[in-house]
Amino acid sequence: GPVLITNSDGGGDYETTLLFSDVIAAKTYSLHADRAIQDRTKEKFNDDEATKHMLDKYLHIVKERSGDSPPEDDNWRAEPGGNGLAALSQTPLRALVMCQHGARRLAILNLDTGTTHSLASEYEGRRLNGPNDVVLHSENGELFAYFTDPVYAWLEKDRFEDLPYLDEQVKSQGPGHCGVYRIKLDEDDKSHANAKNEVELITSDMMRPNGIDFIDENHLIVSECCQGSHLDGCKSGTSRWSIFEQQDYQERTPSSSWAHTKTIEDTVPIETAEGGCADGFAVYEYVNGEKVRKQVLPASCFGGLCIVDTETGAVVSRMWTARGERRGCRISNVAIGQEYAFLTGSCGILTLPLTRGGSTSQSKDTEASLHAEL
């Protein structure tokens, strides 16, 4: 997903930077998020010229051709860019782990030089499809990158839909399945790959694995982006999140042993919205009105943004954004910081203020009321 970095400026104030990908335009961006929010709120920009002036001040390109796609792919590949990001360190931020559709690999992006090099591009001798999202996780003093590898790097400009040809490419040109994997990073020098470490498969049972994160030390959660109509059990209108438990957690052995322990699923009629799917999400903890600590996922889903309760296993609220005369806004990813949820989507970057304390009057279907569209 996107990366949100908050650093002190040395004078008691903090600066928040959002790094995110445009996988279609193949660019990785950096946005001074807190300054943009302050200006947007203060000035109430209502015209394109004022908004452009604000973006010129706060939005910067970190990397062009972010997917390192071969030039010969430019005429057909619909999503050639980099996708999910994870920060290797934050003070200062020098490098990102990046999912690349074009190069079909997990890579390290050096922010000082703009160069990339591969961390993982194959599984058991066959090329990956094109990693989609990544999360870093420390285990017993070792750092691992967990990532998803679905079909979307195979999307063609002339067939920009979830159709059977994608699965055919996975079988003929990819690893033969959509997968969730992990690879151990070199603790001594995370700026380059450790060639001794192999890509480990977590699961190949998901049809469209997408967003990925940890909800606690030994529970991994992966979203499934169901958009097409040809896959039984993964059709448009269904939003799904699968939880995996690390079975050897107590022993802390170095082997990877994961079991699928829980599925959270929500299905609505496809005519209620103009697309979207369970793509990226964030993990958010708060104390509700009864002083009980809760954990939820503000998550992209069919129709907009869902609030997913990981304990009850249910979607407790949906903010409809992907409907209307111009198809609205299909949310693709979420990052949380500075009391805001930052949302990436088909209409741009959005911010949503987070309220604490819970609400007993919140309805299940809440119409979108977004604080600022940057």
Side-chain angles (χ1 to χ4, degrees):
V3 170
L4 196 64
I5 304 294
T6 300
N7 288 322
S8 171
D9 64 359
D13 293 325
Y14 291 87
E15 294 185 348
T16 300
T17 301
L18 181 71
L19 294 113
F20 62 96
S21 301
D22 184 335
V23 71
I24 297 176
K27 296 178 182 180
T28 299
Y29 290 96
S30 171
L31 174 70
H32 290 295
D34 49 352
R35 299 181 196 174
I37 290 173
Q38 290 170 7
D39 275 14
R40 179 79 185 214
T41 304
K42 180 174 61 177
E43 302 295 339
K44 299 292 184 185
F45 294 121
N46 292 316
D47 61 82
D48 292 341
E49 187 63 33
T51 300
K52 182 179 183 301
H53 174 70
M54 181 184 67
L55 293 179
D56 287 342
K57 289 169 59 179
Y58 301 132
L59 184 68
H60 307 284
I61 296 175
V62 174
K63 180 175 172 58
E64 300 268 11
R65 295 191 68 89
S66 57
D68 290 329
S69 183
E72 58 267 26
D73 289 357
D74 289 351
N75 65 334
W76 70 267
R77 196 182 292 277
E79 294 189 349
N83 201 334
L85 306 170
L88 276 174
S89 62
Q90 295 196 8
T91 52
L93 179 63
R94 296 294 187 193
L96 296 172
V97 177
M98 170 186 281
C99 296
Q100 293 186 303
H101 282 200
R104 296 169 58 193
R105 66 182 185 177
L106 189 71
I108 294 236
L109 168 62
N110 186 311
L111 292 174
D112 292 328
T113 64
T115 57
T116 56
H117 60 264
S118 180
L119 277 173
S121 61
E122 296 182 354
Y123 175 69
E124 294 188 342
R126 296 187 64 173
R127 289 289 306 277
L128 298 172
N129 297 307
N132 184 276
D133 202 4
V134 60
V135 62
L136 303 183
H137 189 60
S138 295
E139 301 170 23
N140 198 28
E142 297 178 322
L143 185 64
F144 291 84
Y146 288 76
F147 63 97
T148 57
D149 185 49
V151 299
Y152 304 111
W154 297 116
L155 281 167
E156 300 174 4
K157 292 179 179 179
D158 295 335
R159 294 188 289 178
F160 201 5
E161 296 180 68
D162 193 333
L163 296 170
Y165 80 90
L166 297 174
D167 301 280
E168 294 166 5
Q169 287 290 83
V170 169
K171 293 176 182 177
S172 63
Q173 302 296 322
H177 57 255
C178 295
V180 181
Y181 303 93
R182 77 170 186 171
I183 185 172
K184 187 171 72 173
L185 302 186
D186 187 348
E187 278 290 336
D188 295 326
D189 183 5
K190 301 186 187 71
S191 66
H192 61 77
N194 187 342
K196 297 179 181 178
N197 292 306
E198 305 233 348
V199 175
E200 302 173 34
L201 179 66
I202 304 298
T203 182
S204 59
D205 292 336
M206 300 179 71
M207 289 174 274
R208 296 292 186 263
N210 203 301
I212 187 169
D213 207 342
F214 279 82
I215 55 176
D216 60 33
E217 281 300 305
N218 67 317
H219 286 90
L220 179 72
I221 186 165
V222 183
S223 64
E224 192 156 19
C225 181
C226 301
Q227 296 185 93
S229 60
H230 67 286
L231 294 174
D232 290 337
C234 192
K235 297 180 185 292
S236 184
T238 295
S239 302
R240 182 183 297 129
W241 299 265
S242 296
I243 298 176
F244 299 85
E245 182 177 10
Q246 192 170 21
Q247 298 299 286
D248 58 4
Y249 174 70
Q250 295 297 329
E251 292 79 14
R252 284 297 189 179
T253 61
S255 64
S256 176
S257 177
W258 293 84
H260 181 197
T261 59
K262 188 175 186 177
T263 298
I264 303 171
E265 184 169 302
D266 180 82
T267 301
V268 296
I270 61 172
E271 60 268 18
T272 58
E274 296 288 343
C277 72
D279 194 331
F281 58 88
V283 179
Y284 180 59
E285 294 186 353
Y286 68 100
V287 177
N288 68 9
E290 287 74 42
K291 308 301 181 185
V292 176
R293 180 166 291 278
K294 296 282 292 182
Q295 182 189 78
V296 296
L297 308 179
S300 57
C301 62
F302 179 80
L305 181 75
C306 286
I307 304 300
V308 183
D309 189 317
T310 57
E311 182 179 354
T312 63
V315 171
V316 296
S317 183
R318 176 184 267 103
M319 177 179 288
W320 293 102
T321 63
R323 61 186 184 187
E325 293 182 3
R326 293 184 295 174
R327 301 187 67 188
C329 186
R330 296 177 300 284
I331 305 301
S332 59
N333 228 311
V334 184
I336 288 179
Q338 299 296 89
E339 302 302 318
Y340 283 92
F342 295 84
L343 315 176
T344 61
S346 58
C347 57
I349 307 297
L350 311 171
T351 62
L352 183 67
L354 299 174
T355 58
R356 295 182 179 273
S359 171
T360 57
S361 62
Q362 185 181 45
S363 65
K364 180 174 176 61
D365 294 332
T366 306
E367 291 296 332
S369 177
L370 299 174
H371 182 268
E373 180 180 338
L374 302 180

